[in-house]
Amino acid sequence: MKLLTDDQVRQFIVDGCIALKPDVDPKIHGVIDEKLRFATESEFPPGNNVLSRVPEIWQVVRSPNVRGALTSLLGPNFYIHPHRAIHTSRPVEDRDVNYDADHNAPPMGKGSKAGSGWHQDAQSPLSRARHHTPKYLIAFYFPHYTPELMGPTRYQAGSYLFSEPHKPTGVVLPDHVAEGSFLLLHFDTVHAGWPNRTDLARYMIKIVFTRTEYPRIATWQNRDAAWEKPSSYQAEVNLDPAWQYIWHWMRGAEQKHTNGGIDFDALNSLDEEHRMQSVYHSVSDADIHQLIEQLRALANQGMHERRKAVNNEGKTIPRDHVIGQERRWNEKAIVFDDAAYALASSGEAAVDPLTELLQNTDPWVRINAVFALGEIGPRARDAMPEIAKLLEDPHQQVVRQTLDAIASIGEGMDCALEPMRRLLTTSNPDWQEAEVMRGWTGEDQVRLNAAFAMLNGINYDNDLERIETILSEVLGDPNGYVPAVAVEALTRLGTTSSHATAIRYLQDRRWDDTLLGRQKPY
């Protein structure tokens, strides 16, 4: 395994992206490309099953330098999320039109599965928080050579700290992407597709990776304790207070802040540099009090309620209707009030005020408060009994964010295990409405978040026997993501019984891929 160096990690923190050439036999990329095209064009789109349909991709993911980069950025217990996607860019009709690299939404070829408008990815199946620290990464894997004319993915260096896509900055459009290239990005990086002006469809595979534990030590080849800018980078904005904070967070060290306090007027603005200077500040008790009051002032505005789009017939549909830069609940990815991010960066000093705020009568205030506690991590362990009470909340939005906060804190989870078991095994009739066009419900996401919380929980001193029992009960869940996470957790528990349960589940679902696309029916 080849871990990243200090300079590589610094470059990732600044740009939000690192490009890798997997340590595998180069011929494997051609095999993957051929199988991928055949499966997509002659069978059916494999979607989340792409790594099972084309298992050679695992050789790429497990190659020494790719695994080393993932370990460096997410820790040794990272998890490969069950959501995967194939992004296809098909040739455009007019191949003589040229666009500037920062152009928003140039036309794509008919049948393309790659959005060309600048965007930050949505979580799947439903929304989760946008984190400044690296808790989720996306990989863009290009199995074949992709020149600029074929439409490689563009991205904006440093943009993962942005609250939303706005004026493009730090645009990176490669003149070519080498065969087998593996781009590893912070999940919230602003990116977009690019028109394919060749005769051949372009394929790219998106894979998502998640962190399962709060960092205790640096997990790369760390030599220096101090933060400094990397030797080279492509970002065009100076977000140095955030970069320094993330560096120390990843080292498991006490976070450092800039001096000078908070410019409250910069919070929630689109001035990214001033935002980050205010979010990552040196705090006083007065600052924390004012930030708490800013969250308290969000009450009674219905911000926990999703604003849905309306179709041509005037009927609401399960899709977000986004207006301006307003921060509220949605089903893509949730950007919280900057006061919540600032309180999270304040650390242990903010735990008690945030814990008190969990009792606020407004759901959006509770959601922001529990998010901030989750970001503080294990130092918020003493708040876990109060956090666990929110698992009884009638609002699925509150419950979903509470489960993610429990996962982030990791320690002291025993008081939440019985409520999580009920959430995983008992249906709530109020959470059955489809939230997106794909049909996922709030209850689907509640159960997935609960499974993720227990996956994280096995890294800490929790009741592992109880966790194993609960996980064994949910392998038949109709939400395919839930058993995927559960079987991973059972495997990691490593007991004789958990291994037997996981193996039986996988044995029952084994399939013969040599029959696909062939004339032999059996």
Side-chain angles (χ1 to χ4, degrees):
M1 186 166 61
K2 298 179 181 178
L3 298 175
L4 298 180
T5 65
D6 281 342
D7 201 57
Q8 287 175 307
V9 172
R10 288 169 174 142
Q11 187 258 314
F12 176 86
I13 290 172
V14 171
D15 286 340
C17 179
I18 187 167
L20 304 166
K21 183 70 173 177
D23 295 327
V24 295
D25 184 341
K27 295 179 182 177
I28 198 66
H29 305 303
V31 173
I32 292 170
D33 185 42
E34 181 180 358
K35 281 193 173 184
L36 187 63
R37 290 177 186 274
F38 184 87
T40 303
E41 298 173 10
S42 301
E43 297 172 350
F44 52 85
N48 288 343
N49 293 318
V50 61
L51 269 65
S52 297
R53 179 64 189 92
V54 190
E56 290 82 0
I57 300 169
W58 286 108
Q59 296 182 41
V60 172
V61 174
R62 293 169 179 157
S63 63
N65 61 335
V66 170
R67 185 169 182 82
L70 290 165
T71 298
S72 298
L73 300 175
L74 295 177
N77 293 318
F78 68 85
Y79 173 56
I80 303 175
H81 195 288
H83 174 68
R84 298 94 192 236
I86 303 171
H87 285 195
T88 310
S89 179
R90 301 201 178 276
V92 295
E93 292 183 7
D94 187 352
R95 303 182 191 181
D96 295 325
V97 177
N98 292 310
Y99 302 95
D100 292 334
D102 63 357
H103 187 84
N104 188 42
M108 301 290 280
K110 184 178 181 180
S112 294
K113 300 295 184 182
S116 64
W118 289 114
H119 66 281
Q120 293 165 295
D121 266 18
Q123 287 275 0
S124 184
L126 297 182
S127 67
R128 301 176 89 166
R130 294 215 185 277
H131 303 274
H132 294 171
T133 53
K135 294 190 175 182
Y136 297 87
L137 303 181
I138 313 175
F140 295 153
Y141 167 59
F142 293 82
H144 60 81
Y145 176 72
T146 306
E148 185 270 331
L149 283 173
M150 191 177 275
T153 302
R154 305 172 283 163
Y155 68 92
Q156 296 180 28
S159 59
Y160 68 91
L161 290 164
F162 294 1
S163 60
E164 63 177 83
H166 43 91
K167 184 179 179 181
T169 178
V171 174
V172 179
L173 173 60
D175 58 8
H176 74 280
V177 176
E179 177 187 51
S181 291
F182 197 93
L183 273 65
L184 198 55
L185 297 92
H186 187 292
F187 187 89
D188 296 331
T189 298
V190 179
H191 62 281
W194 188 244
N196 181 355
R197 292 169 287 166
T198 69
D199 295 324
L200 185 67
R202 184 224 71 180
Y203 281 84
M204 181 269 282
I205 301 169
K206 182 183 84 171
I207 308 171
V208 179
F209 304 88
T210 74
R211 174 181 283 276
T212 68
E213 59 187 329
Y214 201 87
R216 300 179 178 93
I217 58 172
T219 53
W220 65 93
Q221 299 180 59
N222 183 224
R223 300 287 184 268
D224 300 328
W227 162 256
E228 60 182 51
K229 291 182 182 178
S231 57
S232 64
Y233 56 91
Q234 295 171 298
E236 295 177 353
V237 287
N238 183 3
L239 307 178
D240 200 24
W243 298 338
Q244 181 182 172
Y245 177 90
I246 294 166
W247 168 262
H248 291 293
W249 182 90
M250 292 177 66
R251 294 182 62 252
E254 181 181 355
Q255 289 85 353
K256 306 295 183 181
H257 296 88
T258 57
N259 296 318
I262 305 171
D263 178 0
F264 281 87
D265 291 335
L267 298 181
N268 300 318
S269 74
L270 292 182
D271 185 333
E272 303 297 347
E273 294 189 358
H274 285 127
R275 274 187 65 229
M276 292 300 101
Q277 289 168 4
S278 292
V279 168
Y280 296 97
H281 58 287
S282 43
V283 295
S284 65
D285 290 342
D287 291 330
I288 291 176
H289 175 76
Q290 190 168 346
L291 290 166
I292 290 288
E293 291 307 307
Q294 181 164 318
L295 289 186
R296 204 186 305 275
L298 299 173
N300 304 316
Q301 300 177 53
M303 304 295 279
H304 67 289
E305 297 173 347
R306 183 185 183 197
R307 182 180 285 127
K308 292 185 178 180
V310 177
N311 64 14
N312 293 333
E313 299 174 352
K315 297 180 180 179
T316 57
I317 57 176
R319 191 174 67 202
D320 292 305
H321 178 45
V322 180
I323 298 178
Q325 64 185 74
E326 184 180 51
R327 301 186 184 191
R328 64 182 303 130
W329 191 269
N330 65 81
E331 289 302 344
K332 289 192 174 181
I334 308 154
V335 180
F336 292 101
D337 193 274
D338 275 348
Y341 292 97
L343 285 162
S345 79
S346 303
E348 199 166 351
V351 170
D352 288 345
L354 285 167
T355 304
E356 181 181 348
L357 205 58
L358 297 179
Q359 301 173 21
N360 192 279
T361 58
D362 187 84
W364 184 241
V365 175
R366 298 198 296 276
I367 289 168
N368 275 264
V370 79
F371 163 76
L373 285 167
E375 294 301 272
I376 292 172
R379 289 180 297 166
R381 174 178 177 163
D382 289 346
M384 192 68 89
E386 293 301 314
I387 292 172
K389 292 178 182 178
L390 294 185
L391 296 179
E392 309 291 343
D393 199 281
H395 296 88
Q396 52 99 356
Q397 300 95 324
V398 174
V399 174
R400 284 161 58 180
Q401 191 53 54
T402 298
L403 288 164
D404 274 353
I406 290 171
S408 292
I409 295 170
E411 296 183 359
M413 195 181 292
D414 289 353
C415 62
L417 291 180
E418 180 56 26
M420 284 197 284
R421 185 197 67 80
R422 290 196 297 270
L423 291 170
L424 280 161
T425 58
T426 306
S427 290
N428 186 322
D430 295 331
W431 298 349
Q432 303 303 317
E433 182 181 357
E435 298 287 347
V436 289
M437 303 297 284
R438 300 186 304 278
W440 295 94
T441 67
E443 185 167 271
D444 284 324
Q445 191 66 43
V446 164
R447 290 178 171 178
L448 177 59
N449 289 10
F452 266 110
M454 284 187 281
L455 174 65
N456 287 28
I458 65 178
N459 295 316
Y460 300 92
D461 186 19
N462 296 307
D463 187 345
L464 302 186
E465 185 176 348
R466 182 64 173 149
I467 290 175
E468 179 180 339
T469 299
I470 297 170
L471 292 170
S472 299
E473 293 176 353
V474 302
L475 291 177
D477 195 285
N479 174 340
Y481 288 74
V482 172
V485 176
V487 78
E488 177 71 18
L490 287 167
T491 302
R492 294 186 181 197
L493 278 168
T495 66
T496 300
S497 55
S498 68
H499 273 170
T501 301
I503 290 170
R504 176 53 57 89
Y505 174 86
L506 297 171
Q507 283 175 325
D508 290 349
R509 285 153 183 80
R510 184 208 170 267
W511 60 309
D512 186 353
D513 65 347
T514 66
L515 303 180
L516 290 174
R518 308 297 198 274
Q519 292 183 354
K520 295 183 296 182
Y522 51 83

